[in-house]
Each structure stands twice: as C-alpha cells, then as structure tokens.
Amino acid sequence: MVMIKVGIAGGTGYVGIELIRILLGHPDVEITHIATQTHIGQPLSKVYPHLQTLAKLECTALDPVEMVKNCDVIFTALPHGHALKLGALVLDAGKKLIDLGADFRLKDGALYETWYGTPAASSDLLQKSVYGLPELVDRNEIAHAALIANPGCYPTCAALGAAPALAAGLVKTEGMIFDAKSGTSGAGRGMALGSHFCEVAESFKAYNVAGAHRHTPEIEQILGKAAGKNVTVQFTPHLLPIVRGLLVTAYFQLEKDLPPEEIWEIYACAYQNEPFVRVYPLGELPQTANVRGSNYCDIGLQVDSRTGRLIVISVIDNLVKGAAGQAVQNMNLMFGLPETMGLKLLCPTYP
Amino acid sequence: MVMIKVGIAGGTGYVGIELIRILLGHPDVEITHIATQTHIGQPLSKVYPHLQTLAKLECTALDPVEMVKNCDVIFTALPHGHALKLGALVLDAGKKLIDLGADFRLKDGALYETWYGTPAASSDLLQKSVYGLPELVDRNEIAHAALIANPGCYPTCAALGAAPALAAGLVKTEGMIFDAKSGTSGAGRGMALGSHFCEVAESFKAYNVAGAHRHTPEIEQILGKAAGKNVTVQFTPHLLPIVRGLLVTAYFQLEKDLPPEEIWEIYACAYQNEPFVRVYPLGELPQTANVRGSNYCDIGLQVDSRTGRLIVISVIDNLVKGAAGQAVQNMNLMFGLPETMGLKLLCPTYP
Amino acid sequence: MVMIKVGIAGGTGYVGIELIRILLGHPDVEITHIATQTHIGQPLSKVYPHLQTLAKLECTALDPVEMVKNCDVIFTALPHGHALKLGALVLDAGKKLIDLGADFRLKDGALYETWYGTPAASSDLLQKSVYGLPELVDRNEIAHAALIANPGCYPTCAALGAAPALAAGLVKTEGMIFDAKSGTSGAGRGMALGSHFCEVAESFKAYNVAGAHRHTPEIEQILGKAAGKNVTVQFTPHLLPIVRGLLVTAYFQLEKDLPPEEIWEIYACAYQNEPFVRVYPLGELPQTANVRGSNYCDIGLQVDSRTGRLIVISVIDNLVKGAAGQAVQNMNLMFGLPETMGLKLLCPTYP
Amino acid sequence: MVMIKVGIAGGTGYVGIELIRILLGHPDVEITHIATQTHIGQPLSKVYPHLQTLAKLECTALDPVEMVKNCDVIFTALPHGHALKLGALVLDAGKKLIDLGADFRLKDGALYETWYGTPAASSDLLQKSVYGLPELVDRNEIAHAALIANPGCYPTCAALGAAPALAAGLVKTEGMIFDAKSGTSGAGRGMALGSHFCEVAESFKAYNVAGAHRHTPEIEQILGKAAGKNVTVQFTPHLLPIVRGLLVTAYFQLEKDLPPEEIWEIYACAYQNEPFVRVYPLGELPQTANVRGSNYCDIGLQVDSRTGRLIVISVIDNLVKGAAGQAVQNMNLMFGLPETMGLKLLCPTYP
C-alpha cells in the first residue's frame, strides 16, 4: 500500500502536535515534513519530549515548493494570513491542502477582511475551498475538494448543537445565544499573559464579549446555511482553567410547544449515522471530560417549559474535533478512506 | 467594649469555616459556640488544621436553647429545613438569626414547598424575615430585622448584575438569561461523586439546566422587586473546576438603543456609594480571581450593537459575598456597626 | 481469528474503566463480562457516559463460576482480599487471572498479613503467581504463568528507575530514598474526604510518611531482587492535585565517582530493547504529562558531584503503566501476542 | 501617628503585588511609591484590576534618588543584581532597605558570583546586611539593621523545618535531603514556556536537580549556622500545578534512637513563642492549603524507626512567609512595631 505523504506547516503548536499524535496512529499515513518558525533544525522530540522514540522527525523552515513537491497533503496550522499564500501552489501541483487556520473559512472575502484586518484569499481560492464540517456539509464536496477550510473549535461545537433544530425549523432563528467555554489550549502555545498559569488557574473569565470574537461570522455563516437564511447570533466565549475541552450552552426560542421526546427524536435522527456525534438520552448532559482526547461531539438537550426555550449543551475536545481530529476526518474523506480511520481508537480518556 | 457573642450552627461546612475566618478578624465579635453534626466533641483545629493556634473552639452538638441563651446572634449554615425550626426560639428570646441556608429566602411559603419539597417556615417568620442583600434592599429593614435570609450565591451575583438595568427600565423584563458558573466549594464539603476530584478537575459541565435549580425562584423574586413586576428568568448553572469563584454572564434585550457610556453611568451611579460593588471601566471585564477571598462583587458591562443586547458580567467569591461575607455585612447592619467592619481588610488574594 | 474473552471484576473503578479504554482498542480481545459491586444491572454507558456508543456492556454482580467458565482471562481490580478467593477457581479451570490489586504481590504471606491485616493467599497460589513487571522479571515466567500479580503504581515507577543502578552495583543498597508524588486517580473513585475536589485542588501534601504505605514492602521485594540482597527503603508518597501522573524522585549514594555518561550508558543499555521505557538524554528530565495516557515509563538521570548522589526521576501514568496498561502488557505475554499490542497507539496526550 | 512611608521597586510582579495586599491592611504604613519597569504611567488598578478602589497608586519608573528621599523604607522585588545598586544610597540617606531578591542573601561575595554570575554587592554592604529570617536569627540584629536580605522561599521553608533538629544535635549534618515542591507563582509573572498554563496544569516535574538551584548555597549558609559547621545539602525543587504553596519533605539521619515524643518536644519548645510557626501534633502533617494566604510555616514530624530517619514536612505560602509576609515581619521589627502587625489577620483561606 502506498502511504499518504503528509506535511504539516506549523507543526509545533498545540494543534500541530495533536495532528502528529493522531497521524502517528493512522495506518495509511506517513508524516514527512514538519515546518515551523521557532524550532528550525531541532528534532521534534527535543521540542516535545513526549514524542521521543515515537517521531523521528526534524523541524524545518517552511519551504512551500519543497513541501508541495514531496507531500500529497499539507496541513497548515498557522496564524491567519499564511495559508492563503500556499493555496495556489498546492492546487496547481494537484495536491491537497487542509487549513486549520481561518484563511478559507469565510466565503465572503470582504467579511474576512473586516474581521481579520488582513487581505482575504483570492475569490478563486475561496470558491474552490470547502468548509470541512463533515456532519453538516455535503460529504461529496469534501471528498472532491483540494482545499479544505477546517472549521474553528467554537463554530464546530456550536453548529453541531444548533443545526438539527434550525434545519427542522424547531426554533426561531432570531435571538440565538451561544455561551461558550473553552480550555486554555485553544489559545495555543504562544506566550501571553492571558495564558500564564497563575493568571488562568483558579480563575474564570469571559473574553471578546458582545460579538467581538472572530468565530462569530463563522458561526453565522454555517448556521445561516442550516437555517436557510441569514442569522445573527450572540456568541460569548469564556476561558476555562483546563487544558482541553470546550462546552457550548446554546439557548433557542422554540417555535412551538413540542414534547422534549419529539425534539430529541429529531436530533437522534439527524445524527444517527454519524460516528462522531453522540446525542445523550433525555435527562443526561455531557461534560467536557467525556470527550477528552477523542473526536466526539456529545450533545445533551433540555427543554424549559417555563420559558419556552430549548437549551442544547454540546461538548468537544477543542484540539480534536475542534481542530486536528476533524482535519484528519476531512483528509480521510478526501482520500477515499473510511471516515473514522485513525480516529476510532481515540477513546475518551476518562478520568 | 462588649463583644457580640456569636454562635454558628453548621460551623464545619465550607460556609461555616469561612464565617469563622472572617469573624476571627472582626474586632467586635467573639465566637462562643460551634455546633456541628459530624465532629461533635472535637477541637475545631482537629477538623480544620489550618485553624490551629487561631481558634480554640470545640465542636458541640446543636443545643438550640443553650445557643440562643448564650449568643447574641446565631448564624445557621445548615441544609434547608433546619433553620426554620430555630426561628421562633431566637425571636422569642430577643436574639438575632442570620440563616445562610434557604429557609427564609422565598417569601411565598407555597413556592418554597414546591421547590424544596419540605414544609416552609411559618408565615409569621417569613413575614418577619428580611432578605439580606444590602445593596438591593432597604438597609433600615435589615438593621431592624431579627431574622435575616442571607441570599444564595447565584442570586447575589445575578441580582447585583441585573438590578440597575431593570430598575432604570433599560432592558426588557422578558427573555433574561443568566448563564452562571460556580466553583466547586459551592457544593459544600459533603461527599458526592459530583465533588470528587477526578470527576471535577480538567472538566466542565452544566447542571440543573432549564430552571431546575432552586435558586431560580429566588432570582425571580429579587429581580421582580427590582423590575416592579413578576419576571421569569432562564438560569443555567455550571460547575467550574476551581475552588472559589462565581461568574454570571447575563443577557438582556435593551429597550432602546443607548450609548454604552450612558448605561455605564447608570450602573456607576447605582453603586457609587456601595463599598462592596465595583463597576469596571467600559472595555474591562472582571474575572473571578479578582474577588477571591474578598467581599466584592465586580461588574463589567458590554453592549452588543449587532444584537441590541446588554451583557453584564458579574463575579463574586461564592463563599464570601455569596455566603459568609454577606452574612457578616448583614450582622454589622443589624448591630449598628460600620457595614464594612471585618470585611474591609479582605483584600482579594491575587494571584 | 478467535478473540480472547475477557472478564473484568471491579470494572467500574478508575482502573477498571482504564482497562476497558485500552482493551476496546485491542484487536484480539473481546470484553464479555463487567462485574461490579455498585452499579449492578446498569449499562456501562450509564455509569460512564463517555463510553456511550463504544461499549454495549451491562454491569453484573460478580459470579465467579460463570465468569471463569466464559472468559479466557479475568482481570481483578478489587480491594485487597477479594482476588485471592478467585485464584484456585481460575487455575483449576485452566484459565488466567491478572490481579491489579495487592493479593499476590508479596511473596511472603506473613509479610502480607502484617501490612494488609487480612489473611494472605494460600502459599500454593503465591508460589504460582508471577510478579508482572515485564522489564524486570523473566518474561518467560510471565508467559507461562496463569496468575499474575500486577505491580502497584509506585513500585512500578520506583523500580524501573532504580533497577539498572542496583543491578550494575553503581549505588549503595543502603539509604535509598523514594520521594514519590501521585495524581489523585490513584486513590480511586471511592468517595473520601481526601479525594474531595476542594480538599485536593490548589493544595499538596504528603501521606503515609515514614514507611507507612503498603507499597513499601513491595518496593523492597522487587529492589531486593535487583540488588541481590535484602534492602530497606525510605518511601514517601505525596498527593498531587492532578488526575493522572506519578513521579518518583529517587536518591542513591554512588558507590564510586563515575562520569554521568557512563551511568547513562548503563541505563540506556538496560532498556534499549524495551518498548515502554524511555531513557532521556542527559540534561533532560521527564514531566508526568509526557506519558499521560500512555504505557511509557520515562526516566531522567542526574548526578550530583557535590554530594556523590545519583538522582533518578521516573514518571508513569499511574492508570496505564501503573495499572491497566501494564496488565494488558502482561496479558499479551501470557497469550503469546506481541507485547505492545493495543498499547502502541496510546501516544501520550500532550498537552 | 506618623505613617511609615513605603516605596516598592518591582511592585507589579507577584511578590510586589502581594506586598501591596499585605501593606494595604497594615495600620501604620502608607505606600507612596510603586516603581516598575513595564507599566510606567499606568494606574496600578489597570495592571491589577483586583485592586480597583483599593489602591489609588500609579506605576512610575524607578527613580532611586527620589524614592530614597521620600520613603522611610524601600522594598525591592527585582531580579538579582539591581537591589545592590540601591544599597549605598539608602544607607547614606539613613533609610532602610528590604531586598526580596537575592543580592544580599549570601554573605560570601565570591559564592554569590559563582552562583549568580554577576558582581556581588560590596563587602561593606554584605557585612551590614542581615539575613531576615526572624525565627532563626537574632531579632536584635534585624531590629537594628538598615539593610535586610529577605530569605528565599525554599530556604525559609527548609530552614524552619531543619533548624531545631540541627541545633539540638538530633540529626547528622551529613546526607540531609530537601525534596521541595513549589507552586508556580514562585516563578513570577514573567512570561516563560515553563509558566504557560498548558505546560504546567495537569503535570508535575523536577527542575534544577542535583544542586543546580541558586537556593542551594542559601540553605547551606543558614543551616550551617544552625549546625555550627559547614554543611552540604541535597536540594531538589519541583514545580506544582498550583498557584500558591510550597512544601519541603526533609530527610535526616537521626544521631540516636529517640522516641518521637522527645523530638516533637524539642520542636515545640523551639517554636513555642513564635507567632508564625506551628508545630503539628504528632501524627498530623500539614498540607500547603493550611497556610494559603497567611504568614504561617506549619511543620509536621515523623520518625521512621525502620530507617532511623526523621522526616520533617514543612509548608509555607511562598508569596507570604516565603516573600512578602516575611518582609513585612522584618519591617515591623526594624520599626519597633509588634512583629505580627498587619500579618495576624491573614487567616489561611481554606478551602
């Protein structure tokens, strides 16, 4: 069997290293290039000692031409504005690119520029790219795409929790609130006071409140698709003093008074064939630890008859289903492999 | 000077022990009785070694008659249903009772019975009791009360964040959402799987979702007063993997388009003379660590012009402003002492 | 291929559930029985929601005869004193038993009774059992054993760190000190004040100091074997406010002045063919997170020329190499499978 | 009453901010200057929002002449090499300096230069400075000193645990081992990968093993004094995933077989008049949370008759007794105030 040759640009951030963890267990893949900005020339096991004896790779400076030439697929886990420069090169060479950053997530280039403050990818690239949330988009599109915009962690968790209700017209498209809480690994390995141990531990805070977070338009884009019309959402991220885990508490106004069982049925149906989405029995709600280290999105539902609201709790591991795991899920689809390959054995690590 | 003699019933739970920490630093108070159910006959410093050399008290079984006879004021930090039995005794003896449990919080006895499933206090006691949230009730009432219902932690934090907006008619009284997150000490010292280290650490979850938490009617009662009419709220508690700290993210629909500065002004005015409420400058939001160990409630405001919402972030230390600190604040008022006595020196412990 | 039928007695403790996580990824194994004391009749996914859709097993009461009849191998993760009752039954039936408790760890029954205060296993069983620390015992013995005493977490980590130095006569056998620190999952899921979140988080303590911990004689037994004579050790366990992870700081007096490189060489040689022991380059030391979720024992060495001491830092995940992972390693040996089967893909989860 | 005017150089690090917390509660002190390197011109409450309404101070650039002129005492919480430049200035002006850094801790300038790699303070300054560990040095010396070397956190905790045994000749002066574990606030607020939340949380490690930590010669200096002769110690620091708290597990070889009660008596006697050292009853051991936020050093003793060792467990809050609290204790002595002023009300915050 011919192994898929993989290059990772930005391989020593937390998303990159999680990609490596997952791909090391993928039977059809060989990681051939790790490009980084900060550890050039070092063996990966020097940067991340937990990988010693596991990965005999060396960190190199990013050489796009070389990487494209030698790899079948490139994963980019870079700050926004970098991956879009690789797009044309990869496509021209007939290779594939899965961007775990934000460069191809917003289809509307102008919207991207408003939120990110840097030039958007060319409209050609934006048009060719597919938003890789397999459960909510046409899998054929992903399978045939050469360019995948791997979704953000918050949008993944929010959208999986909201989509069935919106698609079934159960809830109003106005007034949706996503109160989200993420573990600190979502902020990456880059040093910042906000990620300093003593500033995070034994504390809790909101940040980028009132629609200031860049995931807001991304959530609106994917939910607009599910709802069949433009939507405006309230999205509030918070920082949890944990490493991994992301939980969204979503509030929806029900269109009409439905028995919880019926709503549950709609969710259960929507995800019945999805290997990575688990709808909990009524009365049970997921906690983030239930998906730690795995590619699952777990969902719990609760109806409040006093307020006429549906409350959806969804959880993911921000580094897996919120980043590297979903990227591998997309890669599997793009290469005609079983969607769960290399991901099935990531059983949640509990406790 | 004559010292105020204090008895604490339920003195070895986390609320009780925090009361002891605070009262040990109160210049006008002497703790004379610690009654507990589980450590009878033991020196307090055996149960809580951090108190050795500080508190030379012994835990005794609760003897209400004896305690009432010998104390000027009794703090009850007991499971609901116990304090209400002491009410008449205390009042008849002309002493004072501050209940840190739920027995006197809901003025409507029937409502209490619906939510707590046990008989309510007599209507006489309920009528005489005063809900001790000094910033939001008439301080004269507290000063002249013999019976204080010390508010719950969630209601304290939610109400301080919401009251100015409601009182000023800034926001709609419908559709209010309080997405709340509390440290684990709020669940007490009683053993339960939900408080087991490995079940809480590195995880996060919602609980009692959809109006199932007993603090719901309490929030509605106090906010109904602020709004001048009955209100129904959405209240969702979550469990944080930290010991102390409680944050409420509150969502309100603005009645009309107001500049944030004007809203901020209303909050700043409302709390300008309050020693324990701090309204942050616009653009800054509090984190729970900012009030750790102190009696402050810190408040940050954010207006979302896209959605027409006011978002209020309020934080407290659930064991201080959410329990023991507020109780001492009430005691000070009841005994004609400066409201901040013994509380002013509780500077937040940061980091 | 015929699958190995596995029964787990004590399947809903933390060790049991970790065994299930690992065995679900083992290609040659089928879990057929989960026996528990506390959740009889419940689906496993009700007790541990993280397993939903993964394990369609039901918890049953322990029925030894039934379990022995239907399983090829039984793992016991029970309080001490229970597994020894199953020994004869399993052996008579020609099946295999791997005890993750303490019942067969001490070869000297009298010593067991001194430390555990309950009757030891029969001397026949003790003689037939093999201490399953594959790196330090004759693997043939494990391969041919029907009864394995799976080592304790502390002894595993201490012994792997000490054995090469002792075996090579590098260090004095007197005066060895093992200052050990373990995550809280080592204390199990049983409720106890010492495992209560607010008592563990943001704190640190020693416990069972001065040779009071039951792992003391176990460490002495295995190190005595490595040293070729009886040894007495100082072993001090501490409780870390983390879920998983165990680190031992071991102090040895060097027999003579050796260059660190030479000592390192001896360790590197000792473990050069070991898939699960990784000796770090000189100058690097492992942290517990480097082995989280994996079956590795990582070892770092440091020589202090000022004091003439060798200091060895060794780390494991207490639930994996310290319990369930090592048990599966033993199982593989007993069934003639590759030793790393089902364990190789447990890449450390970092961060 | 005339207030003592205090200046703090390095006021926005964790030690500086803890000094501010304590001094805000000190009745005889007024903080007049906060000099920093990184937040010049900002109000302190902008840098540390938890201080808003509490401290109306502005951060200024360090102007030694100005500060010396206007302050009665200067606390320096700066990287090593800075405070020594202020020494002469302060002394010439007849003011006082308490250095929380390392510049005056080692009496032997050459030793300082070996360990710190920068020029030592002048021998005149070194001679005039007093090592401010009040429980172990002559308090008269502190009272009459103008220049205090405030001890390091590890040396404080190690020395308080070891001194009585050494002074009484109970234990051998050879072979002492101090296995120490500190919370992350000890590493300060400066950004470093080693203080990054995701690198510290849920992990544990040793660092600067084998006598590589700069506190080693400081421990040897103070213990040499207690022992009456030069000593060499083994000191191994570890990093705890907690914010505050430091625990030392100290191993001593007993000179002769003594009943534990006798040893306990010696410790109890040694510290009987010490307000900030608490010797636990035999059989009880302190945890770090027992001193959190307070100026206590708590000590527990255990004798191992199997190995002939005395094991001493001592704990402090590294930011209080290990830094700012001890500095205030010294200040009180220097100004003829009661030693506990401003420190007595720092009751440990538990939980």
Side-chain angles (χ1 to χ4, degrees), chain B residues 17-222:
Chain B
I17 212 70
E18 183 70 353
L19 210 38
I20 291 169
R21 175 176 83 98
I22 296 173
L23 291 175
L24 285 174
H26 193 293
D28 284 12
V29 158
E30 180 191 6
I31 306 173
T32 59
H33 287 69
I34 303 282
T36 69
Q37 291 175 300
T38 42
H39 305 281
I40 297 163
Q42 287 183 28
L44 188 58
S45 66
K46 185 89 185 173
V47 185
Y48 281 104
H50 74 279
L51 288 177
Q52 59 201 288
T53 75
L54 285 172
K56 297 194 194 314
L57 290 155
E58 190 168 296
C59 301
T60 59
L62 178 57
D63 178 340
V65 175
E66 182 71 11
M67 199 183 252
V68 169
K69 200 178 79 184
N70 290 298
C71 297
D72 300 309
V73 58
I74 295 172
F75 292 90
T76 43
L78 301 164
H80 71 270
H82 287 79
L84 54 83
K85 294 175 193 156
L86 298 179
L89 194 68
V90 172
L91 264 54
D92 289 352
K95 303 298 178 70
K96 299 176 200 295
L97 177 69
I98 300 175
D99 179 34
L100 291 98
D103 288 9
F104 305 103
R105 288 180 189 158
L106 298 182
K107 283 291 172 193
D108 177 345
L111 191 66
Y112 176 90
E113 294 182 1
T114 302
W115 283 89
Y116 288 88
T118 50
S122 71
S123 59
D124 176 55
L125 285 177
L126 287 179
Q127 211 178 323
K128 283 179 178 155
S129 72
V130 173
Y131 190 74
L133 216 175
E135 291 82 1
L136 300 185
V137 304
D138 184 347
R139 278 178 165 92
N140 271 322
E141 283 188 41
I142 296 175
H144 294 98
L147 182 47
I148 292 289
N150 207 59
C153 50
Y154 285 123
T156 294
C157 195
L160 288 171
L166 284 172
L170 291 181
V171 298
K172 293 201 200 312
T173 54
E174 295 81 40
M176 292 185 283
I177 294 180
F178 297 91
D179 194 279
K181 302 88 175 173
S182 171
T184 305
S185 62
R189 209 189 197 198
M191 274 175 272
L193 189 58
S195 299
H196 200 65
F197 182 82
C198 294
E199 305 286 320
V200 174
E202 270 291 300
S203 193
F204 181 69
K205 67 172 178 184
Y207 66 100
N208 285 351
V209 173
H213 194 286
R214 287 163 171 168
H215 284 177
T216 307
E218 191 181 335
I219 296 173
E220 291 176 348
Q221 175 180 283
I222 179 74

Side-chain angles (χ1 to χ4, degrees), chain B residues 228-301:
Chain B
K229 63 171 173 176
N230 287 345
V231 299
T232 299
V233 305
Q234 189 77 56
F235 165 58
T236 314
H238 300 73
L239 186 73
L240 285 170
I242 64 175
V243 177
R244 288 164 179 257
L246 191 158
L247 182 148
V248 173
T249 310
Y251 298 91
F252 306 96
Q253 204 65 43
L254 284 164
E255 275 291 353
K256 55 175 181 175
D257 197 21
L258 278 178
E261 292 72 17
E262 217 163 297
I263 297 172
W264 184 86
E265 201 63 50
I266 286 164
Y267 270 76
C269 266
Y271 293 129
Q272 65 183 335
N273 296 318
E274 291 300 341
F276 295 123
V277 181
R278 309 189 293 190
V279 180
Y280 280 40
L282 272 182
E284 292 183 29
L285 295 173
Q287 60 178 318
T288 61
N290 289 1
V291 296
R292 192 191 293 142
S294 81
N295 199 46
Y296 293 107
C297 175
D298 283 7
I299 294 175
L301 305 173

Side-chain angles (χ1 to χ4, degrees), chain D residues 311-336:
Chain D
I311 300 175
V312 181
I313 308 283
S314 52
V315 300
I316 59 170
D317 182 324
N318 53 296
L319 291 179
V320 191
K321 185 63 179 166
Q326 186 144 270
V328 172
Q329 195 181 347
N330 283 315
M331 182 198 73
N332 286 337
L333 289 169
M334 294 164 89
F335 284 87

Side-chain angles (χ1 to χ4, degrees), chain D residues 25-103:
Chain D
H26 193 293
D28 284 12
V29 158
E30 181 191 6
I31 307 173
T32 59
H33 287 67
I34 303 283
T36 69
Q37 292 175 299
T38 42
H39 305 280
I40 297 163
Q42 287 182 28
L44 188 58
S45 66
K46 184 89 186 172
V47 185
Y48 282 104
H50 75 279
L51 287 177
Q52 59 201 289
T53 76
L54 285 172
K56 298 194 194 316
L57 290 154
E58 189 168 297
C59 301
T60 58
L62 179 57
D63 177 341
V65 175
E66 181 71 11
M67 200 184 252
V68 168
K69 200 178 78 184
N70 291 298
C71 297
D72 301 308
V73 58
I74 294 173
F75 292 90
T76 42
L78 300 165
H80 72 270
H82 288 79
L84 53 81
K85 294 175 193 157
L86 298 179
L89 194 67
V90 172
L91 264 55
D92 289 351
K95 304 299 178 71
K96 300 177 199 293
L97 177 68
I98 300 175
D99 179 33
L100 291 98
D103 287 9

Side-chain angles (χ1 to χ4, degrees), chain C residues 25-340:
Chain C
H26 194 293
D28 284 11
V29 157
E30 180 190 5
I31 306 173
T32 59
H33 287 67
I34 303 283
T36 69
Q37 292 174 301
T38 41
H39 304 282
I40 297 163
Q42 287 182 28
L44 188 58
S45 67
K46 183 90 186 171
V47 184
Y48 281 105
H50 74 279
L51 288 176
Q52 59 201 291
T53 74
L54 285 172
K56 296 194 193 317
L57 290 154
E58 190 168 295
C59 301
T60 59
L62 178 58
D63 178 340
V65 175
E66 182 71 10
M67 199 184 253
V68 169
K69 201 179 77 185
N70 291 299
C71 299
D72 300 308
V73 58
I74 293 173
F75 292 90
T76 43
L78 300 165
H80 72 271
H82 288 79
L84 54 81
K85 294 176 193 155
L86 298 180
L89 194 69
V90 172
L91 265 54
D92 289 351
K95 303 299 179 69
K96 298 177 200 295
L97 177 69
I98 300 175
D99 179 33
L100 290 99
D103 287 9
F104 305 103
R105 289 180 189 158
L106 299 182
K107 284 291 172 194
D108 177 345
L111 191 67
Y112 176 91
E113 294 180 2
T114 302
W115 282 90
Y116 288 87
T118 51
S122 71
S123 59
D124 176 55
L125 285 177
L126 287 180
Q127 211 178 324
K128 283 179 179 154
S129 71
V130 174
Y131 189 75
L133 216 175
E135 291 82 2
L136 301 184
V137 304
D138 184 348
R139 278 179 166 90
N140 271 324
E141 282 188 42
I142 296 175
H144 293 98
L147 183 46
I148 292 289
N150 208 60
C153 49
Y154 285 122
T156 294
C157 195
L160 288 171
L166 284 172
L170 292 181
V171 297
K172 294 202 200 311
T173 55
E174 294 83 41
M176 292 185 285
I177 293 180
F178 297 91
D179 193 279
K181 302 88 176 174
S182 171
T184 304
S185 63
R189 208 190 199 199
M191 274 175 271
L193 190 57
S195 299
H196 200 66
F197 182 81
C198 295
E199 304 287 319
V200 175
E202 270 291 300
S203 193
F204 180 70
K205 66 172 179 185
Y207 66 100
N208 285 353
V209 173
H213 195 286
R214 288 163 171 168
H215 284 176
T216 306
E218 190 181 335
I219 296 172
E220 291 175 348
Q221 175 181 281
I222 179 75
L223 292 191
K225 223 177 116 179
K229 63 171 173 174
N230 286 345
V231 300
T232 300
V233 305
Q234 189 76 56
F235 166 56
T236 314
H238 299 74
L239 186 71
L240 284 169
I242 64 174
V243 177
R244 288 163 178 258
L246 190 158
L247 182 149
V248 174
T249 310
Y251 298 91
F252 307 96
Q253 205 65 43
L254 285 164
E255 275 291 355
K256 55 174 181 177
D257 197 22
L258 277 177
E261 292 71 18
E262 217 165 294
I263 297 172
W264 184 86
E265 201 62 50
I266 286 164
Y267 271 77
C269 265
Y271 293 128
Q272 65 182 336
N273 295 320
E274 291 300 342
F276 295 123
V277 181
R278 309 189 293 190
V279 180
Y280 279 40
L282 271 183
E284 292 183 29
L285 296 172
Q287 59 178 321
T288 61
N290 290 0
V291 297
R292 190 191 296 143
S294 81
N295 199 47
Y296 294 107
C297 175
D298 283 9
I299 295 175
L301 306 173
Q302 198 100 19
V303 173
D304 190 341
S305 56
R306 295 171 75 254
T307 62
R309 282 211 191 80
L310 167 66
I311 301 176
V312 180
I313 308 283
S314 52
V315 300
I316 59 170
D317 182 325
N318 54 297
L319 292 179
V320 190
K321 185 63 178 166
Q326 185 144 271
V328 172
Q329 197 181 346
N330 283 315
M331 183 199 75
N332 286 337
L333 290 169
M334 295 164 89
F335 284 88
L337 302 172
E339 191 171 334
T340 60

Side-chain angles (χ1 to χ4, degrees), chain D residues 194-260:
Chain D
S195 300
H196 200 65
F197 182 82
C198 294
E199 305 287 320
V200 175
E202 270 292 301
S203 193
F204 181 69
K205 67 173 179 185
Y207 66 100
N208 285 352
V209 173
H213 195 286
R214 288 164 171 167
H215 284 177
T216 307
E218 191 182 334
I219 296 173
E220 291 175 348
Q221 174 180 282
I222 179 75
L223 292 191
K225 222 177 117 180
K229 63 171 172 174
N230 286 345
V231 299
T232 300
V233 305
Q234 189 77 55
F235 165 57
T236 315
H238 299 74
L239 186 71
L240 285 170
I242 65 175
V243 177
R244 288 164 178 256
L246 191 159
L247 182 147
V248 174
T249 310
Y251 299 90
F252 307 96
Q253 205 65 43
L254 285 164
E255 275 292 354
K256 56 175 181 176
D257 197 20
L258 276 178

Side-chain angles (χ1 to χ4, degrees), chain A residues 8 13 43 47 52 58 70 76 88 116 118 147 152 198 207 225 227 237 245 255 262 265-266 282 295 311 338 340:
Chain A
I8 303 176
V47 185
Q52 59 201 289
E58 190 168 294
N70 291 298
T76 42
Y116 288 88
T118 50
L147 182 47
C198 295
Y207 66 101
K225 221 177 119 179
E255 275 291 353
E262 217 163 296
E265 200 64 49
I266 287 164
L282 272 183
N295 200 46
I311 300 175
T340 60

